[in-house]
Amino acid sequence: MRITSLTISNFRCFGEVPTRIDLDAMTTFVGGNACGKTAALGALARLFGVTPGDRGIRRSDFHLPPDKDPNTVSEMTLSIEARIDFPELDGDTPADSVPTFFRQMKVDVPKGPLHCRVRLDAKWTRTTLPEGEVEETLSWVNTASDDVAEEDKTKVTGDQRSRIHVLYVPATRDPLRQLRQAAGTLLHRLLSAIRWSDELREQVETASRESNAAFREEAGVAVIEKMINKNWAALHDFAILRNVHFRPIKPQFEDLLRQVEMVFSPGEGDAEQPADRLSDGLRSLFYLTLITAVFHTEDQAVSDSGDDSPLRGAELDVPSLTVLAIEEPENHLAPHYLGRILALLEDIAGSPRAQVLLTSHSSAILKRIDPGSVRHLRLDLKTHQTIVKAIKLPATTHAAHKYVREAVRAYPELYFARLVVLCEGASEEIVLPRLCEEADVRVDPSFVSIVPLGGRHVNHFWKLLNDLSIPHVTLIDLDLEREFGGWSRVHYLIKQLIAVGKPRDTLLAIGEGATASVLTDDEFEEMKGWRPDDPSLDGWLNFLEGYDVFVSHPLDLDFAMLRHFPAAYKKAKSGTGPRIPNRKTHPKRYSARVKAACKAVLKSTKATGATFDDDEKHAFIWYQHLFLGRGKPSTHILALNQIPKGELWKQAPDRLKRLVTRVRKLLK
């Protein structure tokens, strides 16, 4: 039995148009702050929460559009609907949950899967009371249509509702209070189902009576008790309440069970430690331990229900489905505990009568979960409504594996970004934040993620970011005269833009007016072989900027920065710098040195650098020394420290300045 989808309308940050969230056995909600993660878990808790605080619709639960004045609203409505499927019906194992829900099952199409729909409808009406009045109904929906009339509903009974338990653990939590609550409810329910022997019951009750009698026989206790009775008698004369006695221990066995508590000790003979001595982190760990232990004990009681079983499964009344809804399980815990927690929760989610829902801000968690189970939530700042999207994995196994490895799990922090800058590598990670800072674009405060990926991986990230509607710009190296660079790089970028849904006819349009045409597939394929010195190259690069794709020309960002700030980068040299023969006095040696640098920089023994002018080829010698002879990040750090404040933005390459300007505009 599983809740396979949750459809929410007008609940908190979910708007009037119903939002459907598909759920797996284990589902993780990710997104920035105030994007609706808590609201999604809260909606499920309103349906099947186990405490009065979790259930019950409040006025604050109703969604209010930003353009509406709350004082002018006379009534509001909301709905929360869950679809329940029964995958166990496809197997040979008997499904204990089926009899309870059988009369509510239906199919949408012939031979479709049996499922149930349960819906919570609520209406708030303004009254003379300060908070108004809220009316709510919980019903089975007996139609497959999205338009549900009153005659399509059947009331959900209390027994039916109690068959599903949602254990909601909020992000802002008091671990000790929750631990005591769990011990007093979940644990007590297990203790009450134990087949206690008659001998133990008699021993406990006898010991309780003897202890109470011995307590009262103490001289000091007798003095206090006598004085209380004397003053009590002076104030009233009710015969049935005439005498007062001390009773330190309740004599009934069931009362004793309510006083059971768990303590910790390092070993035999050492002092016991109560739960309130644990740190917040250990309390959170033990709280999860207690919940999972109760769940596994219930499983054992259900599977072993014979007369000789230590637990009375029938009296335990195990729920048909238990949903753990946990916000930010990483709270209070060191990162290395996350793997253990997720392994424990995945084990629970593997049970046919359990489900796990998580929310998280931790990129460490996202590296450890199945990307297919991620639901990305984003708040539309114009409508103040939550948008929910799932990650769409490629169809083929090989492509899906590559996509997951290179994109989804590579930089999980991008899930929480307002804007992502995709770039080539470590050099951009150093230079772009400094350039943004001088342009008054604060990267971290603006929730901008700079993600290095390499040009050949851009297709995976574009797919991910487009699927999740996360704004992004891309900075790619042209790598002119390098393998797969130049026109091959332009061809690749256009091909991937088409793959993510950009209009082909617009991307491949050439000419204007009467001479305008669109490249055919064969002509487009021939683009990879166009001459490096083709004068139309700059036009194509400028055209790509209209799609937020910026290309470092003519080689890469390292070369562009070296050309625009030669003095600063030459000061970042190691030792005495590269040995460069004098061009005039030793022309042959100088020419040989330039040719060697061209081959090293362009990464080919056949490279000539024909597209580059003499000054650019001279700069190759310094490029080889600064960026190929040692780490690029260290070179950029040393060089940037040589550039006076303000000069970096003034003299930076134009394409980089246009990229930063675009970032600023998208953030606004």
Side-chain angles (χ1 to χ4, degrees), residues 138-450:
L138 187 65
S139 312
W140 298 109
V141 178
N142 302 313
T143 177
S145 173
D146 292 335
D147 297 325
V148 181
E150 286 301 317
E151 56 267 24
D152 298 323
K153 298 179 183 178
T154 304
K155 183 179 179 181
V156 176
T157 65
D159 178 65
Q160 291 169 337
R161 189 178 194 180
S162 67
R163 303 314 303 162
I164 301 176
H165 287 185
V166 173
L167 303 179
Y168 174 52
V169 184
T172 304
R173 51 185 178 258
D174 179 353
L176 183 58
R177 181 184 64 81
Q178 290 164 344
L179 188 58
R180 287 172 175 166
Q181 183 182 31
T185 53
L186 300 176
L187 189 60
H188 176 71
R189 188 160 60 87
L190 291 182
L191 293 175
S192 299
I194 293 177
R195 298 182 187 274
W196 300 104
S197 64
D198 294 337
E199 291 80 6
L200 178 61
R201 287 178 175 273
E202 184 177 346
Q203 289 177 11
V204 169
E205 292 177 1
T206 300
S208 298
R209 288 192 296 269
E210 291 176 351
S211 297
N212 287 335
F215 181 85
R216 291 181 59 200
E217 289 175 0
E218 289 292 318
V221 174
V223 170
I224 297 173
E225 191 176 275
K226 181 178 179 181
M227 189 59 66
I228 291 175
N229 275 287
K230 178 180 178 181
N231 286 274
W232 178 241
L235 294 176
H236 88 98
D237 55 1
F238 294 108
I240 61 173
L241 302 173
R242 181 171 297 168
N243 297 316
V244 182
H245 303 291
F246 284 113
R247 189 181 67 182
I249 303 174
K250 292 183 179 181
Q252 287 77 24
F253 181 77
E254 286 72 16
D255 292 326
L256 182 68
L257 294 182
R258 295 188 180 93
Q259 301 175 30
V260 172
E261 65 174 343
M262 288 166 290
V263 294
F264 303 82
S265 61
E268 186 177 352
D270 294 307
E272 295 177 339
Q273 301 291 334
D276 56 7
R277 294 292 299 273
L278 298 176
S279 67
D280 280 351
L282 290 180
R283 289 173 187 173
S284 287
L285 282 178
F286 189 67
Y287 177 68
L288 292 174
T289 299
L290 186 58
I291 289 178
T292 52
V294 169
F295 179 81
H296 288 308
T297 305
E298 290 175 344
D299 261 355
Q300 181 177 335
V302 171
S303 60
D304 185 14
S305 56
D307 293 338
D308 57 346
S309 171
L311 294 173
R312 296 189 293 266
E315 292 190 17
L316 191 56
D317 197 20
V318 175
S320 302
L321 177 66
T322 299
V323 181
L324 299 185
I326 304 174
E327 286 194 283
E328 300 171 25
E330 66 271 16
N331 280 3
H332 307 298
L333 297 174
H336 60 268
Y337 281 113
L338 296 179
R340 300 181 185 182
I341 292 174
L342 290 175
L344 184 121
L345 295 176
E346 287 172 356
D347 180 57
I348 291 179
S351 169
R353 63 176 198 87
Q355 225 169 329
V356 176
L357 305 181
L358 302 175
T359 72
S360 180
H361 286 131
S362 171
S363 58
I365 280 185
L366 293 174
K367 292 180 179 180
R368 293 176 167 89
I369 60 176
D370 177 13
S373 70
V374 172
R375 303 293 178 265
H376 182 268
L377 283 74
R378 180 173 60 87
L379 189 70
D380 188 315
L381 297 180
K382 294 182 179 179
T383 63
H384 291 204
Q385 295 179 15
T386 293
I387 300 171
V388 183
K389 294 198 175 182
I391 295 176
K392 299 176 183 177
L393 296 174
T396 64
T397 303
H398 173 72
H401 175 71
K402 185 176 182 180
Y403 178 72
V404 169
R405 184 182 70 247
E406 296 178 359
V408 180
R409 287 181 171 172
Y411 296 95
E413 63 271 12
L414 62 80
Y415 287 112
F416 312 108
R418 285 179 58 198
L419 183 140
V420 174
V421 179
L422 301 174
C423 58
E424 288 281 356
S427 295
E428 287 79 3
E429 286 187 284
I430 300 297
V431 174
L432 288 180
R434 286 285 298 271
L435 193 60
C436 287
E437 183 179 352
E438 291 217 0
D440 199 28
V441 177
R442 307 293 179 180
V443 173
D444 285 338
S446 300
F447 292 91
V448 175
S449 288
I450 296 178

Side-chain angles (χ1 to χ4, degrees), residues 90-103:
D90 297 330
D92 298 328
T93 304
D96 295 333
S97 59
V98 171
T100 302
F101 303 99
F102 181 74
R103 291 183 180 274

Side-chain angles (χ1 to χ4, degrees), residues 471-482:
H472 56 281
V473 299
T474 306
L475 177 62
I476 294 293
D477 295 340
L478 181 60
D479 287 338
L480 199 61
E481 290 196 45
R482 285 176 174 169

Side-chain angles (χ1 to χ4, degrees), residues 474 476 478 487 490 493-494 497 506-507 509 534-553 653-656 658-659 662:
T474 306
I476 294 293
L478 181 60
W487 284 109
V490 174
L493 292 172
I494 294 175
L497 285 172
T506 303
L507 283 165
D534 190 312
S536 67
L537 180 59
D538 280 344
W540 282 94
L541 298 182
N542 293 335
F543 173 71
L544 286 173
E545 292 184 12
Y547 292 88
D548 292 328
V549 179
F550 297 80
V551 183
S552 291
H553 178 277
D654 289 340
R655 293 190 190 277
L656 291 185
R658 291 199 294 271
L659 180 145
R662 179 59 176 161

